[in-house]
Amino acid sequence: MAENPFFAPSTLPYKLPDFAEIREEHYLPAFERGMADQLREVEAIASDPDPATFANTVEALERSGQILSRTVTVFSSVAASDATDRIREIETEIFPKLTKHSDAIRLNRALYERIKQVSASDPEEAWLLEKYRVDFVRAGADLTETEQRRLRELNEELTRIATTFSQNLLKASTASALVVEDAAELDGLSESAVKAIEKDGEYVLPLLNFTNQPALAELTDRRTRRRLYELSVSRAPENFDLAVRLATLRAERAALLGYPDHASYSVADQTAKTTEAVEEMLGKLVGPAVANARREAEALAEQAGFPIEPWDWSFYAEKVRKSRYDFDGAELRPYFELDRVLRDGVFHAAGELYGVTFTERDDLAGYHPDVRVFEVFEADGSPLGLFLFDPYARPTKRGGAWMNNLVDQSHLFGDLPVVMNNLNVTKPSHGPTLLTFDEVTTAFHEFGHALHGLFSDVRFPRVSGTEVPRDFVEYPSQVNEMWATWPSVLANFARHHETDEPVPAELLEKMKAAEKFNQGFATVEYLAAALLDWAWHKLAPGQTVEDAEAFEAAALERAGIAFELVRPRYRTNYFAHIFSSGVGGYSAGYYSYIWSEVLDAESVEWFKENDGLKRENGDHFRSTLLSVGGSMDVMDAFRDFRGRTPRIEPLLERRGLR
């Protein structure tokens, strides 16, 4: 298949994958050739008769597997954003093979011995060399042949189960959708929202990938709210058994690698380093958060006039905001039109802070008609990279929002970055796309990840952009959220989509006053998910779980976070962060969001102390932190930026917990 577009680098600008030429039938041949080519390359490195040097070993590994890298990058992006039935079939077939391929490299004894002989000539080489050594040890390079054989079996089985978990969840978003025949049952939703979900005489509201569906805040019919909530928490029930199997296999794998449990294995190469550090930090937050949530529940029950249930919380939280702060979040939507938020908000803030500019490239295409492509330029007009934006939900797209790279920046290959943001905004049947404030914040958050990728200025792909510890990667994106409410940025994008009138100042003041209300709920639902993840991955090797739902309930009770009105943001059966990847993902890592937020709160404080949205502030953040990617110790990079080690107090203040 000489015409297979993966067999040679793309000739499009910035090596953007040529989606117009890529067909589903190209993937499997590209995977097979890519794996075979890389294994030959690796064998040549491992058997090189010359003494091991950085250039002929580590740098050679960085250069290996280009066909496979191109194929994996594109396929993973499409599988997450536009997964047809055939794409899912390929996933099921190829992911275990990719796991086996990775093991063939990481468990190659001759290659590992060669890496151990290499010495570095500069700090960036030394850091990458240590990364490789750690990678190989954590992959099992020091194990015996018998232990490695079992490890390979575990890795392949974990990949198969996680792929099934993920596919079950994608199907459940529509299979467990709320279906009603009478539009009156959807009272409270906007007319455009109702029209957008009308299909063949019915109204079908798909589930988003978290417990509390956004519509719960608007639906006036309590029975409809209950149905939607119960569909949400009970979706994909077959995933409970898969989660048990994943957790127990991960525990066995951790023991094989010398750790007491998967959580200990998971945090060892993160900034947290130890399970004790994670547990100490989470423990500080549980008591104040639960107490705060219980106070909020009392206010909601008083507003409702009866004891509320979980499906009532979001609805009456909005009522309390309205009565206590005279604030109704729905009043903001007309001022948050998607394109204006993107161009005059997200892009504008980046321009003010970093001097970058954006030009839409209608001549370049993504994998779906909804995808938009923008060329990004430095302040001096020189090219920086490409940014792809895919805002809309679709049945073939997984839930949530995320950033990924299509091309990693590296000086080794002379590549500039191509990065992408995915959101899950409901596409209207006609007219403008109006966002909630949460969706606006998400757009700024994901673009923070994009900037981390775009500003990467490193030599090697292995440490490019967002290739940093998982409990650090959310930090730059969280910092970027601050510009969503920065006065000059808000004034630039928050304008009525029909009249162009700016959002009223008094409405913004009400929003700010209401911000801390419901922080108890937000913190408890997050902590409950983080502690649930932790409980699954603190399982000891050989420990059995007979009933996943009973285990979940007991774990929350034991952690002191059980509150019948606030369930975890993700229950076990739809916790994609931790169960949709065999040995990676966010397993024993969902704590990362709050861990990163400690750094975020410190950084927001620094920006405010230094007059905020100024070019010199952006240049400092970029040069000390965003540009270095994972090419150095990221906590050293934070200290270079902030001038001190992080403190937890700014976070406690932000969340109303002190």
Side-chain angles (χ1 to χ4, degrees), residues 84-369:
T84 63
D85 289 342
R86 179 56 184 149
I87 291 292
R88 293 187 194 119
E89 290 171 1
I90 296 171
E91 260 190 325
T92 303
E93 179 178 348
I94 205 65
F95 279 8
K97 291 182 179 180
L98 289 172
T99 299
K100 191 173 182 178
H101 174 77
S102 177
D103 284 344
I105 297 173
R106 299 285 177 84
L107 301 180
N108 183 317
R109 292 191 184 281
L111 180 62
Y112 179 47
E113 289 303 318
R114 192 169 177 84
I115 288 171
K116 289 195 289 186
Q117 296 167 19
V118 172
S119 59
S121 61
D122 61 53
E124 191 168 5
E125 286 187 2
W127 185 257
L128 181 63
L129 176 58
E130 182 59 21
K131 283 278 186 190
Y132 267 89
R133 287 173 175 158
V134 170
D135 285 350
F136 273 71
V137 171
R138 286 175 59 79
D142 281 332
L143 300 182
T144 67
E145 290 291 341
T146 301
E147 290 169 333
Q148 285 189 357
R149 192 177 308 115
R150 178 56 183 154
L151 183 65
R152 291 172 195 265
E153 292 170 354
L154 287 169
N155 288 345
E156 288 185 49
E157 187 173 0
L158 283 164
T159 300
R160 280 194 296 270
I161 297 170
T163 301
T164 303
F165 185 101
S166 182
Q167 292 182 350
N168 287 346
L169 194 50
L170 182 60
K171 288 183 282 189
S173 67
T174 50
S176 296
L178 175 71
V179 180
V180 301
E181 295 182 355
D182 185 354
E185 295 179 61
L186 301 175
D187 181 61
L189 299 186
S190 68
E191 182 181 349
S192 62
V194 172
K195 284 183 178 178
I197 62 173
E198 186 176 6
K199 183 179 180 182
D200 300 328
E202 295 180 326
Y203 301 90
V204 182
L205 185 61
L207 297 178
L208 299 182
N209 197 34
F210 32 78
T211 296
N212 277 281
Q213 303 297 299
L216 291 170
E218 300 173 321
L219 291 165
T220 62
D221 189 320
R222 197 177 185 211
R223 289 169 300 179
T224 305
R225 291 202 303 271
R226 179 173 184 169
R227 282 182 58 206
L228 177 59
Y229 183 87
E230 290 180 342
L231 285 166
S232 177
V233 297
S234 63
R235 75 183 92 170
E238 64 274 25
N239 276 355
F240 280 115
D241 288 342
L242 297 181
V244 171
R245 187 68 179 144
L246 284 166
T248 54
L249 289 176
R250 285 170 178 168
E252 180 186 348
R253 183 179 182 276
L256 199 58
L257 292 165
Y259 294 88
D261 48 58
H262 181 72
S264 299
Y265 168 82
S266 182
V267 302
D269 68 338
Q270 301 297 303
T271 65
K273 303 298 184 189
T274 68
T275 57
E276 290 79 11
V278 174
E279 289 162 4
E280 181 184 0
M281 192 268 287
L282 294 178
K284 288 179 181 178
L285 301 174
V286 168
V290 171
N292 199 0
R294 291 191 181 280
R295 286 192 294 271
E296 291 169 357
E298 291 172 3
L300 301 187
E302 183 180 345
Q303 179 72 36
F306 55 80
I308 65 166
E309 296 289 349
W311 47 87
D312 297 317
W313 188 294
S314 296
F315 183 77
Y316 285 102
E318 291 304 313
K319 295 290 187 186
V320 169
R321 282 196 180 98
K322 180 70 176 172
S323 62
R324 187 178 291 185
Y325 305 101
D326 193 24
F327 175 70
D328 180 356
E331 294 179 48
L332 286 171
R333 289 187 79 143
Y335 298 92
F336 297 151
E337 189 273 321
L338 174 63
D339 192 60
R340 188 144 203 174
V341 169
L342 180 67
R343 292 180 180 275
D344 297 340
V346 174
F347 289 172
H348 170 74
E352 293 292 299
L353 203 56
Y354 306 109
V356 292
T357 59
F358 303 82
T359 300
E360 188 153 13
R361 292 289 301 265
D362 294 326
D363 58 317
L364 299 177
Y367 50 80
H368 188 279

Side-chain angles (χ1 to χ4, degrees), residues 271-272 277-278 280-285 445 470-479 481 523 526-527 590-607 621 625 635 638-639 641-642 644-655 657-658:
T271 65
V278 174
E280 181 184 0
M281 192 268 287
L282 294 178
K284 288 179 181 178
L285 301 174
H445 175 100
R470 185 185 53 221
D471 59 7
F472 188 87
V473 73
E474 296 298 332
Y475 153 55
S477 55
Q478 289 168 336
V479 171
E481 292 178 25
T523 307
Y526 165 76
L527 288 174
Y590 197 64
Y591 77 88
S592 300
Y593 289 90
I594 202 86
W595 188 272
S596 296
E597 198 178 338
V598 173
L599 308 180
D600 161 37
E602 276 272 31
S603 300
V604 168
E605 189 176 83
W606 180 89
F607 272 106
F621 192 48
L625 200 139
M635 292 308 295
F638 174 82
R639 284 184 282 270
F641 161 68
R642 186 65 177 97
R644 70 181 187 211
T645 56
R647 300 173 302 124
I648 198 171
E649 286 76 15
L651 170 67
L652 298 177
E653 180 68 29
R654 169 192 290 185
R655 286 189 170 256
L657 300 179
R658 55 175 303 189

Side-chain angles (χ1 to χ4, degrees), residues 388-406:
L388 280 70
F389 185 56
D390 183 1
Y392 294 118
R394 62 183 72 94
T396 54
K397 192 178 195 179
R398 70 174 171 88
W402 65 95
M403 169 268 189
N404 59 282
N405 284 11
L406 290 171

Side-chain angles (χ1 to χ4, degrees), residues 469-526:
R470 185 185 53 221
D471 59 7
F472 188 87
V473 73
E474 296 298 332
Y475 153 55
S477 55
Q478 289 168 336
V479 171
N480 205 59
E481 292 178 25
M482 73 177 290
W483 309 118
T485 54
W486 196 257
S488 64
V489 178
L490 256 177
N492 204 57
F493 77 83
R495 307 185 75 87
H496 198 284
H497 70 100
E498 291 177 334
T499 66
D500 201 40
E501 289 294 314
V503 61
E506 60 271 22
L507 186 56
L508 292 176
E509 288 305 313
K510 292 174 186 176
M511 181 186 77
K512 291 175 184 176
E515 265 184 345
K516 283 187 180 177
F517 181 77
N518 221 34
Q519 277 297 316
F521 173 89
T523 307
V524 167
E525 74 157 3
Y526 165 76

